[in-house]
Coordinates of all heavy atoms in Angstrom, one line a residue:
M3 N 31.0 -140.2 -5.1 CA 31.1 -139.3 -6.3 C 30.0 -138.2 -6.1 O 28.9 -138.4 -5.7 CB 30.8 -140.1 -7.6 CG 32.0 -140.9 -7.9 SD 31.4 -141.8 -9.3 CE 32.6 -141.4 -10.5
A4 N 30.3 -137.0 -6.6 CA 29.3 -135.9 -6.6 C 28.4 -136.0 -7.7 O 28.8 -136.4 -8.9 CB 30.0 -134.6 -6.6
R5 N 27.1 -135.7 -7.5 CA 26.1 -135.8 -8.5 C 26.2 -134.4 -9.2 O 26.3 -133.3 -8.7 CB 24.7 -135.8 -7.8 CG 24.0 -137.1 -8.2 CD 22.8 -137.2 -7.5 NE 21.7 -136.7 -8.2 CZ 20.4 -136.7 -7.8 NH1 20.1 -137.2 -6.6 NH2 19.5 -136.3 -8.6
E6 N 26.1 -134.5 -10.5 CA 26.0 -133.3 -11.3 C 24.7 -132.7 -11.3 O 23.7 -133.4 -11.3 CB 26.4 -133.7 -12.8 CG 27.8 -134.0 -13.0 CD 28.1 -134.3 -14.4 OE1 27.5 -133.6 -15.3 OE2 29.0 -135.0 -14.8
K7 N 24.6 -131.4 -11.2 CA 23.2 -130.7 -11.3 C 22.8 -130.7 -12.7 O 23.4 -130.5 -13.6 CB 23.4 -129.3 -10.8 CG 23.7 -129.2 -9.3 CD 23.7 -127.7 -8.9 CE 23.9 -127.6 -7.4 NZ 23.8 -126.1 -7.0
T8 N 21.4 -131.1 -12.7 CA 20.8 -130.9 -14.0 C 20.0 -129.7 -14.0 O 19.6 -129.2 -13.0 CB 19.9 -132.2 -14.2 OG1 19.0 -132.3 -13.2 CG2 20.7 -133.5 -14.3
K9 N 19.8 -129.2 -15.2 CA 18.9 -128.0 -15.3 C 17.5 -128.3 -14.8 O 16.9 -129.3 -15.4 CB 18.9 -127.5 -16.7 CG 20.3 -126.9 -17.2 CD 20.1 -126.3 -18.6 CE 21.5 -125.7 -18.9 NZ 21.5 -125.1 -20.3
S10 N 17.0 -127.5 -14.0 CA 15.6 -127.8 -13.6 C 14.7 -127.1 -14.5 O 14.9 -126.0 -15.0 CB 15.4 -127.1 -12.2 OG 15.6 -125.8 -12.2
T11 N 13.6 -127.7 -14.7 CA 12.6 -127.2 -15.7 C 11.5 -126.7 -14.8 O 10.8 -127.3 -14.1 CB 12.1 -128.3 -16.6 OG1 11.6 -129.3 -15.8 CG2 13.2 -128.8 -17.6
Q12 N 11.4 -125.4 -14.9 CA 10.4 -124.6 -14.0 C 9.2 -124.3 -15.0 O 9.3 -124.1 -16.2 CB 10.9 -123.4 -13.5 CG 12.0 -123.6 -12.5 CD 12.6 -122.3 -12.0 OE1 12.2 -121.2 -12.5 NE2 13.4 -122.3 -11.0
A13 N 8.0 -124.3 -14.4 CA 6.8 -123.9 -15.0 C 7.0 -122.4 -15.4 O 7.5 -121.7 -14.7 CB 5.6 -124.2 -14.3
P14 N 6.6 -122.1 -16.7 CA 6.7 -120.8 -17.1 C 5.8 -119.8 -16.2 O 4.7 -120.2 -15.8 CB 6.3 -120.7 -18.5 CG 5.5 -122.0 -18.7 CD 6.1 -122.9 -17.8
T15 N 6.3 -118.6 -15.8 CA 5.5 -117.8 -15.1 C 4.5 -117.1 -16.0 O 4.5 -117.3 -17.2 CB 6.4 -116.7 -14.5 OG1 7.1 -116.0 -15.5 CG2 7.4 -117.3 -13.5
S16 N 3.7 -116.3 -15.4 CA 2.6 -115.7 -16.2 C 3.1 -114.8 -17.3 O 2.5 -114.6 -18.3 CB 1.6 -115.0 -15.3 OG 2.2 -114.0 -14.6
A17 N 4.3 -114.1 -16.9 CA 4.8 -113.1 -18.0 C 5.5 -114.0 -19.1 O 5.8 -113.4 -20.2 CB 5.8 -112.2 -17.2
Q18 N 5.8 -115.2 -18.9 CA 6.6 -116.0 -19.9 C 5.8 -116.9 -20.8 O 6.3 -117.5 -21.6 CB 7.7 -116.7 -19.2 CG 8.7 -116.0 -18.4 CD 9.7 -116.9 -17.6 OE1 9.2 -118.1 -17.3 NE2 10.8 -116.5 -17.3
R19 N 4.5 -117.0 -20.5 CA 3.7 -117.8 -21.3 C 3.6 -117.4 -22.7 O 3.5 -116.2 -23.0 CB 2.2 -117.8 -20.7 CG 2.3 -118.6 -19.4 CD 0.8 -118.8 -18.9 NE 0.8 -119.3 -17.6 CZ 0.0 -119.1 -16.7 NH1 -0.9 -118.2 -16.8 NH2 0.0 -119.8 -15.5
S20 N 3.7 -118.3 -23.6 CA 3.7 -117.9 -25.1 C 2.3 -117.4 -25.5 O 2.2 -116.7 -26.4 CB 4.0 -119.1 -25.9 OG 3.2 -120.2 -25.7
G21 N 1.2 -117.7 -24.8 CA -0.1 -117.4 -25.2 C -0.5 -115.9 -24.8 O -1.4 -115.4 -25.3
E22 N 0.3 -115.4 -23.9 CA 0.1 -114.0 -23.4 C 0.5 -113.0 -24.4 O 1.5 -113.0 -25.0 CB 0.8 -113.8 -22.1 CG 0.3 -112.5 -21.5 CD 0.9 -112.3 -20.1 OE1 0.9 -113.4 -19.3 OE2 1.2 -111.3 -19.7
Q23 N -0.4 -112.0 -24.7 CA -0.2 -111.0 -25.6 C 0.7 -109.9 -25.1 O 0.5 -109.6 -23.9 CB -1.4 -110.5 -26.2 CG -2.4 -111.5 -26.7 CD -2.0 -112.0 -28.2 OE1 -1.4 -111.2 -28.9 NE2 -2.3 -113.2 -28.5
A24 N 1.5 -109.3 -25.9 CA 2.3 -108.1 -25.5 C 1.4 -107.0 -25.6 O 0.4 -106.9 -26.3 CB 3.5 -108.0 -26.5
P25 N 1.7 -105.9 -24.8 CA 1.0 -104.7 -24.9 C 1.0 -104.0 -26.3 O 2.0 -104.3 -27.0 CB 1.6 -103.8 -23.7 CG 3.0 -104.3 -23.6 CD 2.9 -105.8 -23.9
N26 N 0.1 -103.1 -26.5 CA 0.0 -102.4 -27.8 C 1.2 -101.5 -28.0 O 1.6 -100.9 -26.9 CB -1.3 -101.7 -27.9 CG -2.5 -102.6 -28.0 OD1 -3.2 -102.7 -27.1 ND2 -2.6 -103.3 -29.1
P27 N 1.6 -101.2 -29.3 CA 2.6 -100.1 -29.4 C 2.0 -98.7 -29.0 O 0.7 -98.6 -28.9 CB 2.9 -100.2 -30.9 CG 1.9 -101.1 -31.5 CD 1.2 -101.9 -30.4
V28 N 2.8 -97.8 -28.9 CA 2.5 -96.5 -28.5 C 1.5 -95.8 -29.5 O 0.6 -95.1 -29.1 CB 3.8 -95.6 -28.3 CG1 3.4 -94.2 -27.9 CG2 4.7 -96.2 -27.3
W29 N 1.6 -96.1 -30.7 CA 0.8 -95.4 -31.7 C -0.6 -96.0 -31.8 O -1.5 -95.4 -32.4 CB 1.5 -95.5 -33.2 CG 1.8 -97.0 -33.5 CD1 2.9 -97.7 -33.4 CD2 0.8 -97.9 -34.2 NE1 2.8 -98.9 -33.9 CE2 1.5 -99.1 -34.3 CE3 -0.5 -97.8 -34.6 CZ2 0.9 -100.3 -34.9 CZ3 -1.1 -98.9 -35.1 CH2 -0.4 -100.1 -35.3
F30 N -0.9 -97.2 -31.2 CA -2.2 -97.7 -31.4 C -3.4 -96.9 -30.9 O -4.4 -96.8 -31.6 CB -2.2 -99.1 -30.7 CG -3.4 -100.0 -31.0 CD1 -3.3 -100.8 -32.1 CD2 -4.5 -100.1 -30.2 CE1 -4.3 -101.6 -32.6 CE2 -5.5 -100.9 -30.5 CZ -5.5 -101.6 -31.7
K31 N -3.2 -96.4 -29.6 CA -4.4 -95.7 -29.1 C -4.7 -94.4 -29.8 O -5.9 -94.1 -30.2 CB -4.1 -95.3 -27.6 CG -5.4 -95.0 -26.9 CD -5.3 -94.7 -25.4 CE -4.0 -95.0 -24.6 NZ -4.1 -94.7 -23.3
P32 N -3.7 -93.5 -30.3 CA -3.9 -92.4 -31.0 C -4.6 -92.7 -32.4 O -5.5 -91.9 -32.8 CB -2.6 -91.7 -31.2 CG -1.8 -92.2 -30.0 CD -2.2 -93.6 -29.8
V33 N -4.1 -93.7 -33.0 CA -4.7 -94.1 -34.3 C -6.1 -94.6 -34.2 O -7.0 -94.2 -34.9 CB -3.8 -95.2 -35.0 CG1 -4.5 -95.8 -36.3 CG2 -2.4 -94.6 -35.4
M34 N -6.4 -95.3 -33.2 CA -7.7 -95.9 -32.8 C -8.7 -94.7 -32.6 O -9.8 -94.6 -33.3 CB -7.6 -96.7 -31.6 CG -9.1 -97.3 -31.2 SD -9.0 -98.3 -29.7 CE -8.5 -97.1 -28.4
F35 N -8.3 -93.8 -31.7 CA -9.2 -92.6 -31.4 C -9.3 -91.7 -32.7 O -10.3 -91.0 -32.9 CB -8.8 -91.9 -30.2 CG -9.0 -92.6 -29.0 CD1 -8.0 -92.9 -28.1 CD2 -10.3 -93.0 -28.6 CE1 -8.3 -93.6 -26.9 CE2 -10.6 -93.7 -27.5 CZ -9.6 -93.9 -26.6
G36 N -8.2 -91.6 -33.4 CA -8.2 -90.8 -34.6 C -9.2 -91.2 -35.7 O -9.9 -90.5 -36.3
F37 N -9.2 -92.6 -35.9 CA -10.3 -93.2 -36.8 C -11.7 -92.8 -36.4 O -12.5 -92.4 -37.2 CB -10.2 -94.7 -37.0 CG -9.2 -95.1 -38.0 CD1 -8.1 -95.9 -37.7 CD2 -9.3 -94.6 -39.3 CE1 -7.1 -96.3 -38.6 CE2 -8.4 -95.1 -40.3 CZ -7.3 -95.9 -39.9
M38 N -12.0 -93.0 -35.1 CA -13.3 -92.6 -34.5 C -13.6 -91.2 -34.8 O -14.8 -90.8 -35.2 CB -13.4 -93.1 -33.1 CG -13.4 -94.6 -32.9 SD -13.8 -95.0 -31.2 CE -12.1 -95.3 -30.6
L39 N -12.7 -90.2 -34.5 CA -12.9 -88.8 -34.6 C -13.0 -88.4 -36.1 O -13.9 -87.6 -36.4 CB -11.8 -88.1 -33.9 CG -11.9 -88.0 -32.4 CD1 -10.6 -87.3 -31.8 CD2 -13.2 -87.5 -31.9
V40 N -12.2 -88.9 -37.0 CA -12.3 -88.6 -38.4 C -13.6 -89.1 -38.9 O -14.2 -88.4 -39.7 CB -11.1 -89.3 -39.1 CG1 -11.4 -89.2 -40.7 CG2 -9.8 -88.5 -38.8
G41 N -14.1 -90.3 -38.6 CA -15.4 -90.7 -39.0 C -16.5 -89.8 -38.5 O -17.4 -89.4 -39.3
L42 N -16.5 -89.3 -37.3 CA -17.5 -88.4 -36.7 C -17.4 -87.1 -37.4 O -18.5 -86.5 -37.7 CB -17.3 -88.3 -35.3 CG -18.2 -87.4 -34.5 CD1 -19.6 -87.8 -34.5 CD2 -17.7 -87.1 -33.1
I43 N -16.2 -86.6 -37.6 CA -16.1 -85.3 -38.3 C -16.6 -85.3 -39.7 O -17.2 -84.4 -40.3 CB -14.6 -84.8 -38.2 CG1 -14.2 -84.4 -36.8 CG2 -14.4 -83.7 -39.2 CD1 -12.8 -84.2 -36.5
W44 N -16.4 -86.5 -40.3 CA -16.8 -86.7 -41.8 C -18.3 -86.5 -41.9 O -18.9 -85.9 -42.7 CB -16.3 -88.1 -42.3 CG -16.5 -88.4 -43.8 CD1 -17.8 -88.5 -44.4 CD2 -15.6 -88.4 -44.8 NE1 -17.6 -88.7 -45.7 CE2 -16.3 -88.7 -45.9 CE3 -14.2 -88.4 -44.7 CZ2 -15.6 -88.9 -47.1 CZ3 -13.5 -88.5 -46.0 CH2 -14.2 -88.8 -47.1
I45 N -18.9 -87.2 -40.9 CA -20.5 -87.2 -40.9 C -21.0 -85.7 -40.5 O -21.9 -85.3 -41.1 CB -21.0 -88.2 -39.9 CG1 -20.7 -89.6 -40.4 CG2 -22.5 -88.0 -39.7 CD1 -20.9 -90.7 -39.4
I46 N -20.4 -85.1 -39.5 CA -20.7 -83.7 -39.2 C -20.6 -82.8 -40.3 O -21.4 -81.9 -40.6 CB -20.0 -83.3 -37.9 CG1 -20.4 -84.1 -36.7 CG2 -20.2 -81.8 -37.7 CD1 -19.5 -83.9 -35.5
V47 N -19.4 -82.8 -41.1 CA -19.2 -82.0 -42.2 C -20.2 -82.3 -43.3 O -20.7 -81.3 -43.9 CB -17.8 -82.2 -42.7 CG1 -17.6 -81.6 -44.1 CG2 -16.7 -81.7 -41.7
F48 N -20.6 -83.4 -43.5 CA -21.6 -83.8 -44.5 C -22.9 -83.1 -44.1 O -23.6 -82.5 -45.0 CB -21.8 -85.3 -44.6 CG -23.0 -85.8 -45.5 CD1 -22.9 -85.6 -46.8 CD2 -24.2 -86.3 -44.9 CE1 -24.0 -86.0 -47.7 CE2 -25.1 -86.6 -45.7 CZ -25.0 -86.5 -47.1
Y49 N -23.4 -83.2 -42.9 CA -24.7 -82.6 -42.5 C -24.6 -81.1 -42.4 O -25.6 -80.4 -42.9 CB -25.1 -83.2 -41.1 CG -25.7 -84.4 -41.2 CD1 -25.2 -85.6 -40.6 CD2 -27.0 -84.6 -41.9 CE1 -25.8 -86.9 -40.8 CE2 -27.6 -85.9 -42.0 CZ -27.0 -87.0 -41.4 OH -27.7 -88.2 -41.4
V50 N -23.5 -80.5 -42.0 CA -23.4 -79.0 -41.8 C -23.4 -78.4 -43.2 O -23.9 -77.4 -43.5 CB -22.2 -78.7 -41.0 CG1 -21.9 -77.2 -41.1 CG2 -22.3 -79.0 -39.6
S51 N -22.6 -79.1 -44.2 CA -22.5 -78.6 -45.5 C -23.7 -78.9 -46.4 O -23.7 -78.6 -47.5 CB -21.3 -79.0 -46.2 OG -21.4 -80.4 -46.5
Q52 N -24.7 -79.6 -45.9 CA -25.9 -80.0 -46.5 C -25.6 -80.8 -47.8 O -26.3 -80.7 -48.8 CB -26.8 -78.7 -46.9 CG -27.2 -78.0 -45.8 CD -28.1 -76.8 -46.1 OE1 -28.2 -76.5 -47.3 NE2 -28.5 -76.1 -45.1
G53 N -24.6 -81.7 -47.6 CA -24.3 -82.7 -48.7 C -23.2 -82.2 -49.7 O -22.9 -83.0 -50.6
A54 N -22.7 -81.0 -49.6 CA -21.8 -80.4 -50.6 C -20.4 -81.0 -50.3 O -19.5 -81.0 -51.2 CB -21.8 -78.9 -50.6
L55 N -20.1 -81.2 -49.1 CA -18.8 -81.7 -48.6 C -19.0 -83.0 -47.9 O -20.1 -83.3 -47.4 CB -18.1 -80.6 -47.7 CG -17.8 -79.3 -48.4 CD1 -17.2 -78.4 -47.3 CD2 -16.7 -79.5 -49.5
P56 N -18.0 -83.8 -47.7 CA -16.6 -83.8 -48.1 C -16.5 -84.3 -49.6 O -15.6 -83.7 -50.3 CB -15.9 -84.8 -47.2 CG -17.0 -85.5 -46.4 CD -18.2 -84.8 -46.6
I57 N -17.3 -85.2 -50.1 CA -17.3 -85.5 -51.5 C -18.7 -85.5 -52.0 O -19.5 -86.4 -51.7 CB -16.7 -87.0 -51.6 CG1 -15.3 -87.1 -51.1 CG2 -16.8 -87.4 -53.2 CD1 -14.7 -88.5 -51.1
A58 N -18.9 -84.5 -52.8 CA -20.3 -84.3 -53.3 C -20.8 -85.4 -54.2 O -22.0 -85.6 -54.2 CB -20.4 -82.9 -53.9
A59 N -20.0 -86.0 -54.9 CA -20.4 -87.1 -55.8 C -20.9 -88.3 -55.1 O -21.7 -89.0 -55.7 CB -19.3 -87.5 -56.7
L60 N -20.5 -88.5 -53.9 CA -21.0 -89.6 -53.1 C -22.5 -89.4 -52.6 O -23.1 -90.4 -52.2 CB -20.0 -89.9 -51.9 CG -18.7 -90.5 -52.4 CD1 -17.9 -90.7 -51.1 CD2 -18.8 -91.8 -53.1
E61 N -22.9 -88.3 -52.5 CA -24.2 -87.9 -52.0 C -24.4 -88.5 -50.6 O -23.6 -88.3 -49.7 CB -25.3 -88.3 -53.0 CG -25.1 -87.6 -54.3 CD -26.1 -88.1 -55.4 OE1 -26.8 -89.1 -55.1 OE2 -26.2 -87.5 -56.4
S62 N -25.4 -89.3 -50.4 CA -25.7 -89.8 -49.1 C -24.8 -91.0 -48.7 O -24.8 -91.4 -47.6 CB -27.2 -90.4 -49.1 OG -28.0 -89.3 -49.2
W63 N -24.0 -91.5 -49.6 CA -23.0 -92.5 -49.2 C -21.9 -92.0 -48.3 O -21.2 -92.7 -47.7 CB -22.4 -93.1 -50.5 CG -23.4 -94.1 -51.1 CD1 -24.2 -93.8 -52.2 CD2 -23.6 -95.4 -50.7 NE1 -25.0 -94.8 -52.5 CE2 -24.6 -95.9 -51.6 CE3 -23.1 -96.2 -49.7 CZ2 -25.1 -97.2 -51.5 CZ3 -23.7 -97.5 -49.6 CH2 -24.6 -98.0 -50.5
N64 N -21.9 -90.6 -48.2 CA -20.9 -90.0 -47.3 C -21.1 -90.5 -45.9 O -20.2 -90.6 -45.1 CB -20.9 -88.5 -47.4 CG -20.1 -87.9 -48.5 OD1 -19.0 -88.2 -48.6 ND2 -20.7 -87.2 -49.3
I65 N -22.3 -90.7 -45.5 CA -22.7 -91.2 -44.2 C -22.1 -92.6 -44.0 O -21.5 -92.9 -43.0 CB -24.2 -91.2 -44.0 CG1 -24.8 -89.8 -44.1 CG2 -24.6 -91.9 -42.6 CD1 -26.3 -89.7 -44.1
V66 N -22.2 -93.4 -45.1 CA -21.6 -94.8 -45.0 C -20.2 -94.8 -44.8 O -19.5 -95.5 -44.0 CB -22.1 -95.6 -46.1 CG1 -21.4 -97.0 -46.1 CG2 -23.6 -95.8 -46.2
V67 N -19.5 -93.8 -45.5 CA -18.0 -93.7 -45.5 C -17.7 -93.2 -44.1 O -16.7 -93.8 -43.4 CB -17.6 -92.7 -46.5 CG1 -16.0 -92.3 -46.3 CG2 -17.8 -93.2 -47.9
G68 N -18.3 -92.3 -43.5 CA -18.0 -91.8 -42.2 C -18.3 -92.8 -41.1 O -17.3 -93.0 -40.3
F69 N -19.3 -93.6 -41.2 CA -19.5 -94.7 -40.2 C -18.5 -95.8 -40.5 O -18.0 -96.5 -39.6 CB -20.8 -95.2 -40.4 CG -21.9 -94.5 -39.6 CD1 -22.9 -93.9 -40.2 CD2 -21.9 -94.4 -38.2 CE1 -23.9 -93.1 -39.5 CE2 -22.8 -93.7 -37.4 CZ -23.9 -93.1 -38.1
G70 N -18.1 -96.0 -41.7 CA -17.1 -97.0 -41.9 C -15.7 -96.7 -41.3 O -15.1 -97.6 -40.8
I71 N -15.3 -95.4 -41.4 CA -14.1 -95.0 -40.9 C -14.1 -95.0 -39.3 O -13.2 -95.6 -38.7 CB -13.7 -93.6 -41.3 CG1 -13.4 -93.5 -42.9 CG2 -12.6 -93.0 -40.5 CD1 -13.4 -92.1 -43.4
A72 N -15.3 -94.7 -38.8 CA -15.4 -94.8 -37.3 C -15.4 -96.3 -36.8 O -14.9 -96.6 -35.8 CB -16.7 -94.1 -36.9
F73 N -16.0 -97.1 -37.7 CA -16.2 -98.5 -37.4 C -14.8 -99.2 -37.2 O -14.5 -100.0 -36.4 CB -17.0 -99.2 -38.4 CG -17.3 -100.6 -38.0 CD1 -18.1 -100.9 -36.9 CD2 -16.8 -101.7 -38.8 CE1 -18.4 -102.2 -36.6 CE2 -17.1 -102.9 -38.5 CZ -17.9 -103.3 -37.4
I74 N -13.9 -98.7 -38.1 CA -12.5 -99.2 -38.1 C -12.0 -98.9 -36.7 O -11.3 -99.8 -36.1 CB -11.6 -98.6 -39.2 CG1 -12.1 -99.2 -40.5 CG2 -10.1 -99.0 -39.0 CD1 -11.5 -98.5 -41.8
G75 N -12.1 -97.7 -36.2 CA -11.6 -97.4 -34.9 C -12.3 -98.2 -33.8 O -11.6 -98.7 -32.9
F76 N -13.6 -98.5 -33.9 CA -14.3 -99.3 -32.9 C -13.7 -100.7 -33.0 O -13.7 -101.5 -32.0 CB -15.8 -99.3 -33.1 CG -16.4 -98.0 -32.6 CD1 -17.0 -97.1 -33.5 CD2 -16.3 -97.7 -31.3 CE1 -17.6 -95.9 -33.0 CE2 -16.9 -96.5 -30.8 CZ -17.5 -95.6 -31.6
L77 N -13.4 -101.3 -34.2 CA -12.9 -102.6 -34.3 C -11.5 -102.6 -33.6 O -11.1 -103.7 -33.1 CB -12.7 -103.0 -35.8 CG -14.0 -103.4 -36.4 CD1 -13.8 -103.8 -37.9 CD2 -14.7 -104.7 -35.7
M78 N -10.7 -101.6 -33.7 CA -9.5 -101.6 -33.1 C -9.5 -101.8 -31.5 O -8.6 -102.1 -30.9 CB -8.7 -100.3 -33.4 CG -8.2 -100.3 -34.8 SD -7.4 -98.8 -35.4 CE -5.8 -99.0 -34.5
T79 N -10.7 -101.3 -31.0 CA -10.8 -101.3 -29.5 C -10.9 -102.8 -29.1 O -10.6 -103.1 -27.9 CB -12.1 -100.6 -29.1 OG1 -13.3 -101.3 -29.6 CG2 -12.1 -99.1 -29.4
T80 N -11.2 -103.7 -29.9 CA -11.2 -105.1 -29.5 C -9.8 -105.7 -29.3 O -9.6 -106.6 -28.6 CB -12.0 -106.0 -30.5 OG1 -11.3 -105.9 -31.8 CG2 -13.4 -105.5 -30.7
R81 N -8.9 -105.1 -29.9 CA -7.4 -105.5 -29.8 C -6.6 -104.7 -28.8 O -5.5 -104.9 -28.6 CB -6.7 -105.3 -31.2 CG -7.3 -106.2 -32.2 CD -6.9 -107.6 -31.9 NE -7.1 -108.5 -33.1 CZ -6.9 -109.7 -33.1 NH1 -6.6 -110.3 -32.0 NH2 -7.2 -110.4 -34.2
W82 N -7.3 -103.7 -28.1 CA -6.6 -102.8 -27.2 C -6.3 -103.6 -25.9 O -7.2 -104.1 -25.3 CB -7.4 -101.6 -26.9 CG -6.9 -100.6 -26.1 CD1 -5.6 -100.3 -25.8 CD2 -7.6 -99.5 -25.4 NE1 -5.4 -99.2 -25.0 CE2 -6.6 -98.7 -24.8 CE3 -8.9 -99.1 -25.4 CZ2 -6.9 -97.6 -24.1 CZ3 -9.3 -98.0 -24.6 CH2 -8.3 -97.3 -24.0
R83 N -5.1 -103.5 -25.5 CA -4.7 -104.1 -24.2 C -4.2 -103.2 -23.2 O -3.7 -102.2 -23.4 CB -3.6 -105.2 -24.4 CG -4.1 -106.4 -25.2 CD -3.0 -107.3 -25.4 NE -3.0 -108.0 -26.6 CZ -2.7 -107.6 -27.9 NH1 -2.3 -106.3 -28.0 NH2 -2.8 -108.3 -28.9

């Protein structure tokens, strides 16, 4: 009698492992660099306008806002593949 073939179980290759992360979407890198640039521009505008722009009511907190926006971009770099 002929033996029936059973499905062989192969070890998953490196591309098939469930723990491996997929590459980032196309929009990820421009958004990441965009946050960093917007934060830098926010701080530069604050200094060049001597505190009148971008939001005069925030006064020196504009620096914190600018660094916060840039920090979001830097946090995104940890997820970049």
